[in-house]
Amino acid sequence: MADTAEHLQNFIHGEFRRVESDGWMDDLNPSDAGDVIARVPHGSADDARAATTAAAAALPAWRALTGPARGEHLHRWAAAISERAEELAQAMAREVGKPIGESRGEVGRCIVILRYYAGEAVRSVGDVIPAGLPGALQYSLREPLGVVALITPWNFPLAIPLWKAAPALAFGNTVVLKPSELSSRVATLLAETSITAGLPRGVFNVILGTGVDVGTPLIEAPEVRGISFTGSAKVGALVAAIAARRNVRYQTEMGGKNVVIVAADADLDAAAALTAAGAMRYAGQKCTATSRVVVDRKIEGDFLDRLRSQVEALPLGPVADATSAVGPLISQRSHDSISAALADSTADRIFGGELPDDERFRRGFYFAPLVIRIADPAARLAQEELFGPVLGVLSADDMEHAIAIANQTRYGLSASLFTHDLRSALHYVQRIEVGLVRVNGDTTGVDPHAPFGGMKGSSSGSREQGPAAREFYTETKTVQINP
Ligand code: NAD
């Protein structure tokens, strides 16, 4: 039978190029594994080399543009995305199984990100610093790093590439993006919008393939002077080791074991609604998704009753249906690994975990939201990121105990505390070891103009987005001009 699925191409020097690949992977629709969206090449070191060469060639002219001129390009990119917003959202829902409402939200957020960095491109770029020598002018400048490599996961297939590419470009770098092999079609559409926006050739390049075949050669390429990675802790450690050996600036934003604490005085309805949403929407596949809830024993029964109603009220269903809140997992592999972790453990099921007997759910990688009790905070299920709609409930004697349990993990991305006690809230803000701290909120969702990133094993320590992005994508030159 003829192979009718589209064979995706690399985007290098402003044009799509046929890939000569030894092998091709099926890019499957997670809601319906029989739907092959496209074929993705394994990729090669030659592809990485072609892209970094193009980005290096485009660098002198791009960095020589004024900030306002680069900002104009980003405004045009925002407009190009806006024109195809619905198509992009539909493609995202189909390729990564994100419910259509959230997919539309992500496209809207991308437009905001591009406009924000278009504005950042016209800000002042340094400081005047008093000089030790009378009459001398001393100042600092921020200059682009050069060619930067962006390695991204599949779960925010437009927003993460853009929250890296937009600041990189705004501050005068050129970019090679290596998206996840599981979100390569959406990345290809993003490349198309960059053509519509009129970005100069070679400024933004996209190469497809596996991490090993094309990702590693990309970050090893001599032209690459900065690496921004988002993905799992395991791969992040590999990326960091290569970057450190090459003495190239890097940031690695990785997984989490995000936590909600429910204090005895909490608004239990709000806590249950936001914990359910944070844990289960998009099948728990956000890096900031809630995977543990630590509940004060005194209100545990009341809280769990409410949590159950809230979880059961989140519709599990096809992502094209605007009422669905929980779609499928990304892949059979993810389904197998979550099932294996649960089978290996002694955790007790509290409720959930049973898929409705419906043919539609058997066609995709669906996993029904599940809430389990974890008696030991050191247990594997309380420590490892599962990346699915599984929430572990842990009990605490009081606030101090709850914070200690919350911190008892190698990760440190996001946390929330539900309380009305101001003293408790302030104490928790000081003690909690995460980069994103909430009180009376969901652990997920961030404003694109606020710094984003984790502590401990969740991050290499830098931050993305907001003003923090300038720190990463530029380096400082200190200049003194004597009279
Ligand atoms: P992953 O680590 O499997 O892959 C991420 C990217 O790294 C992909 O593009 C992949 O091809 C590439 N890669 C894999 N091996 C590589 C190698 N040897 N060299 C270079 N590149 C390589 O992660 P994933 O499954 O795509 O995404 C899910 C993970 O991402 C979760 O752990 C989640 O928490 C994390 N995540 C973190 C954030 C954050 O901002 N902290 C945001 C979203 C997702």
Side-chain angles (χ1 to χ4, degrees), residues 37-400:
I37 296 169
R39 309 232 191 257
V40 180
H42 285 182
S44 68
D46 287 348
D47 298 338
R49 176 46 63 94
T52 55
T53 304
L59 182 65
W62 180 251
R63 65 177 286 169
L65 285 182
T66 61
R70 290 194 298 264
E72 276 309 312
H73 279 288
L74 297 186
H75 276 304
R76 282 197 288 271
W77 204 357
I81 288 179
S82 192
E83 273 168 27
R84 293 177 68 179
E86 183 57 20
E87 178 195 351
L88 288 165
Q90 295 288 350
M92 186 185 306
R94 182 176 171 214
E95 189 174 33
V96 300
K98 181 171 293 200
I100 188 65
E102 289 204 44
S103 295
R104 289 185 180 124
E106 182 170 337
V107 175
R109 180 173 166 186
C110 290
I111 295 164
V112 172
I113 288 169
L114 282 161
R115 288 186 185 145
Y116 172 80
Y117 285 109
E120 284 291 289
V122 303
R123 279 189 197 279
S124 54
V125 292
D127 296 306
V128 175
I129 304 155
L133 189 74
L137 171 63
Q138 178 165 255
Y139 60 98
S140 63
L141 285 174
R142 287 205 154 263
E143 296 202 335
L145 301 176
V147 175
V148 296
L150 313 180
I151 302 208
T152 54
W154 52 268
N155 65 334
F156 286 86
L158 274 184
I160 295 181
L162 274 175
W163 83 46
K164 295 177 188 298
L169 294 172
F171 304 132
N173 304 276
T174 55
V175 167
V176 180
L177 166 68
K178 205 302 278 176
S180 167
E181 41 281 52
L182 302 173
S183 58
S184 296
R185 168 98 180 102
V186 167
T188 302
L189 296 177
L190 179 63
E192 285 180 17
T193 61
S194 78
I195 301 177
T196 317
L199 274 189
R201 283 170 178 269
V203 156
F204 176 72
N205 306 276
V206 182
I207 50 174
L208 307 178
T210 71
V212 172
D213 291 313
V214 76
T216 304
L218 170 62
I219 57 183
E220 292 273 16
E223 294 87 357
V224 167
R225 298 309 312 158
I227 302 167
S228 181
F229 166 87
T230 299
S232 62
K234 188 169 147 233
V235 177
L238 297 174
V239 169
I242 293 173
R245 173 167 53 69
R246 294 196 50 225
N247 192 26
V248 165
R249 181 173 299 183
Y250 72 95
Q251 60 183 186
T252 50
E253 287 302 329
M254 300 169 285
K257 198 70 196 171
N258 310 301
V259 64
V260 163
I261 300 174
V262 186
D265 74 316
D267 173 342
L268 295 186
D269 289 323
L274 292 169
T275 302
M280 307 305 180
R281 282 187 175 274
Y282 189 20
Q285 300 172 112
K286 300 175 188 174
C287 53
T288 48
T290 311
S291 55
R292 298 176 297 152
V293 57
V294 183
V295 190
D296 191 303
R297 287 182 206 284
K298 295 183 274 303
I299 44 90
E300 197 172 289
D302 288 348
F303 173 73
L304 289 179
D305 290 345
R306 289 170 167 84
L307 183 68
R308 183 178 190 135
S309 315
Q310 291 292 344
V311 169
E312 288 174 353
L314 287 173
L316 173 75
V319 294
D321 181 341
T323 62
S324 293
V326 186
L329 292 172
I330 184 68
S331 63
Q332 186 62 45
R333 201 167 145 215
S334 170
H335 199 288
D336 292 347
S337 90
I338 295 172
S339 305
L342 290 166
D344 269 2
S345 79
T346 53
D348 294 326
R349 170 180 169 276
I350 303 178
F351 60 84
E354 284 150 354
L355 274 181
D357 185 19
D358 181 329
E359 162 58 21
R360 289 176 312 172
F361 296 125
R362 286 191 284 276
R363 288 207 295 263
F365 310 123
Y366 286 93
F367 195 103
L370 172 65
V371 177
I372 54 176
R373 177 174 301 287
I374 306 180
D376 176 6
R380 182 178 164 201
L381 288 177
Q383 295 295 321
E384 279 179 21
E385 183 187 49
L386 297 181
F387 225 53
V390 180
L391 175 67
V393 178
L394 298 112
S395 312
D397 302 330
D398 54 28
M399 180 57 68
E400 213 49 45

